[in-house]
Amino acid sequence: MRYHNITKDDMLNGDGLRVVLWVAGCEHCCRECHNPVTWDPNGGLLFDDAARQEIFEQLEKSYISGVTFSGGDPLHPANRADVKELISEIRSKYPDKTIWLYTGDIWENVAGYPMMKNIDVLVDGEFHIGERDPKLLWKGSRNQRVIDVKKSLAQTDGAAPVLHCGDYR
């Protein structure tokens, strides 16, 4: 896996103060994306032990609520295996921290991914410039959803995903 940045004390990409991993690789290439430099899966830097340790050092801080995976797209085929492994490791070491993940894909396509059981909140959907709304919390366009993954996975009736409390449509 490759990445472009690790942001510390972030308040925009999930609730509370967070550490954000911006991965490389995205197939959605949304028009007017705020981060097109991350589209190339071969761009950025190799995610190595130093980068992993940088994330863990942030998660050790009591005031850090959790980690957010963004990009690019953490669910890009070049990222899935490494992101799954890292999420599992974070969940094991920091069970009280929340894990958020942004993807251009939709819940209906990714709900069955094994890593979902370790994610708290998923922000799904491509960014649509025609539905852009700067007043939205944690998402850029009205078509995107901020999904409570645990509650959504607990449903057995195939209902629509349960929205996280901050998803005001």
Side-chain angles (χ1 to χ4, degrees):
M1 171 173 67
R2 300 186 68 80
Y3 77 106
H4 282 270
N5 194 20
I6 297 171
T7 305
K8 300 169 183 124
D9 299 334
D10 181 280
M11 295 181 356
L12 300 175
N13 295 284
D15 57 1
L17 281 174
R18 314 188 65 73
V19 58
V20 182
L21 176 63
W22 301 89
V23 300
C26 185
E27 295 177 323
H28 302 284
C29 305
C30 302
R31 196 173 112 234
E32 296 195 39
C33 170
H34 77 280
N35 213 0
V37 70
T38 64
W39 292 355
D40 181 0
N42 297 311
L45 307 165
L46 181 64
F47 187 81
D48 58 11
D49 286 335
R52 176 181 266 100
Q53 192 56 40
E54 186 176 344
I55 290 172
F56 292 165
E57 286 171 7
Q58 293 302 304
L59 291 171
E60 287 291 330
K61 298 175 180 176
S62 62
Y63 62 86
I64 295 295
S65 300
V67 62
T68 299
F69 290 82
S70 194
D73 190 342
L75 300 183
H76 182 281
N79 297 325
R80 277 186 215 142
D82 291 328
V83 166
K84 177 184 173 228
E85 179 185 317
L86 182 57
I87 285 173
S88 180
E89 188 174 1
I90 290 169
R91 179 58 70 212
S92 175
K93 287 184 177 190
Y94 307 98
D96 297 329
K97 303 289 184 171
T98 59
I99 299 173
W100 284 51
L101 188 142
Y102 282 76
T103 181
D105 210 332
I106 58 171
W107 170 255
E108 291 76 7
N109 293 340
V110 302
Y113 287 13
M115 73 182 73
M116 288 299 143
K117 69 178 191 245
N118 287 318
I119 293 173
D120 296 292
V121 177
L122 178 81
V123 182
D124 80 338
E126 293 183 354
F127 171 72
H128 292 164
I129 189 64
E131 296 182 73
R132 180 181 176 273
D133 185 344
K135 295 180 193 130
L136 296 171
L137 198 56
W138 304 315
K139 59 186 184 176
S141 57
R142 287 183 299 279
N143 65 294
Q144 295 172 310
R145 299 175 291 184
V146 183
I147 298 168
D148 183 316
V149 174
K150 305 267 186 248
K151 288 180 181 175
S152 297
L153 289 175
Q155 297 183 130
T156 57
D157 59 3
V162 177
L163 298 181
H164 181 65
C165 64
D167 189 339
Y168 306 110
R169 302 196 145 246

